Amino acid sequence: YRRQPSAVMGEYAPYAHKLWLTPDTGSCPPQAPNPLRWQPFELATSPTDFVDGIRTVAMNGSAAMQSGIAIHVYAFNGNMSSRALVNSDGEMLIVPQQGELRVTTELGVMDVRSCEVAVIPRGMAFKVDGLQANKDVAYRGYLCENYGAHFRLPELGPIGSNGLANARDFLAPVASLDETDGEFEIIKKFAGHVWRGTAPRSPFNVAAWHGNLVPYKYDTAHFMTIGSISFDHPDPSIFTVLTSPSDTAGVANCDFVIFPPRWLVAEDTFRPPWYHRNVMSEFMGLVHGQYDAKPDGFKPGGASLHNSFVPHGPDIDAFTKASNAALAPHKLDNTLAFMLESRFVLQPTQYAMTSDKLDKNYFNCWKGL
């Protein structure tokens, strides 16, 4: 229920954005089956808002065929002001890494703080500003652009009705009505390209709404971790917060998995993740703290990519420490890592493969095993 219909809109024209790509329209260099890792991505130094600060790191599938994902990083230091973004290609999962965000949507406002994540449905106008009053704060984080089935809670199977991410902990926006007049720039992602147009007033002029397609946020501190209390290391699917199912059971279009603070109590067991390779492509990011399988080489704001059937696991330091540790109860604390898993091979972009943040000696972390 708006003050003015969305159809009151000017004509769209192309918007030059060379670093926000889609599989349908952007090309990637050939990808060797190597493990990849990036040091923390750059922060914005010149005036940049959220839209212009998006950089595509890897992608798969097709926005036109509504399958697959694109993974981006963002870095900005200025607000969007009279500007809004509409993504017609996919829903947007926002994972802040540095700096707290104010996300304004057509259905209200969400403040997304440290260790929280937010999801914006496909086709909904929103803008992302910094929450801190200090104008010198630089913001950085990760984005998953999901072209496939919308994110939902995973089936819990024998876990039962409670556990992992509980529905009660997902929060809808706080109601807000923007009654200001004046033109608004609309940036629209549509069919793999970025466009711009001018609306006569703010798209956040919604006075009321009903339905079940809603922006939401989630505090990862509420995640009810499930793990082994006897022996062996469970599959990381036990840490799934949200899933976008594919048409093949057992392999998702995208799983959003977190590794939060938790107790390790398993007996007679090597506790870090085991060495493995499987069909799922794994993109990892670190929000803060240390990741137990790469205690020194994986930094907050960085990322790693282990594609389908690329072997990986704990580095030599993590292996040595875990092999000699007393198997007493131990808590992993002050940490938050996440993983985006997809059944499709992720293609790193030219930006990612030519970045000076790419760790060209990553493979050496397993020497000596």
Side-chain angles (χ1 to χ4, degrees), residues 330-341:
H330 169 66
K331 188 176 185 183
L332 287 176
D333 216 347
N334 300 313
T335 181
L336 180 64
F338 73 89
M339 181 164 65
L340 295 164
E341 281 197 322

Side-chain angles (χ1 to χ4, degrees), residues 174-197:
V174 174
S176 177
L177 173 63
D178 186 354
E179 298 186 88
T180 59
D181 292 320
E183 292 185 342
F184 230 83
E185 183 182 35
I186 309 296
I187 304 297
K188 177 167 283 194
K189 178 89 179 319
F190 179 79
H193 295 278
V194 184
W195 306 82
R196 73 191 308 171

Side-chain angles (χ1 to χ4, degrees), residues 81-221:
S81 302
S82 296
R83 200 181 206 197
L85 173 62
V86 179
N87 192 334
S88 300
D89 289 343
E91 64 182 347
M92 300 284 276
L93 167 64
I94 305 172
V95 184
Q97 185 274 315
Q98 179 173 311
E100 299 177 336
L101 308 178
R102 171 154 291 175
V103 182
T104 303
T105 78
E106 292 176 87
L107 305 190
V109 176
M110 300 181 292
D111 288 347
V112 186
R113 302 183 184 275
S114 177
C115 297
E116 294 182 333
V117 300
V119 174
I120 310 298
R122 177 182 297 161
M124 185 167 289
F126 70 102
K127 68 174 182 173
V128 178
D129 297 325
L131 190 55
Q132 281 86 343
N134 185 351
K135 294 183 179 180
D136 295 328
V137 173
Y139 298 85
R140 180 174 60 195
Y142 309 89
L143 295 170
C144 178
E145 186 178 4
N146 174 26
Y147 307 129
H150 62 77
F151 281 119
R152 63 197 69 177
L153 294 176
E155 297 292 334
L156 295 185
I159 294 175
S161 59
N162 302 100
L164 309 185
N166 292 307
R168 66 176 181 265
D169 294 319
F170 288 80
L171 303 180
V174 174
S176 177
L177 173 63
D178 186 354
E179 298 186 88
T180 59
D181 292 320
E183 292 185 342
F184 230 83
E185 183 182 35
I186 309 296
I187 304 297
K188 177 167 283 194
K189 178 89 179 319
F190 179 79
H193 295 278
V194 184
W195 306 82
R196 73 191 308 171
T198 303
R201 65 170 69 238
S202 168
F204 309 122
N205 62 346
V206 177
W209 59 270
H210 63 85
N212 57 12
L213 186 63
V214 183
Y216 55 86
K217 75 169 186 172
Y218 175 74
D219 186 347
T220 60

Side-chain angles (χ1 to χ4, degrees), residues 24 28 47 71 84 92 160 176 209 213 223 240 284 291 319 331:
D24 309 76
C28 294
I71 299 170
M92 300 284 276
S176 177
W209 59 270
L213 186 63
F223 189 79
T240 302
M284 286 196 64
Y291 177 58
F319 174 84
K331 188 176 185 183

Side-chain angles (χ1 to χ4, degrees), residues 345-366:
V345 171
L346 282 160
Q347 298 287 340
T349 61
Q350 188 75 24
Y351 161 77
M353 296 305 294
T354 58
S355 170
D356 61 0
K357 306 303 181 183
L358 180 65
D359 185 351
K360 296 182 180 179
N361 296 309
Y362 178 34
F363 60 91
N364 284 327
C365 78
W366 293 288

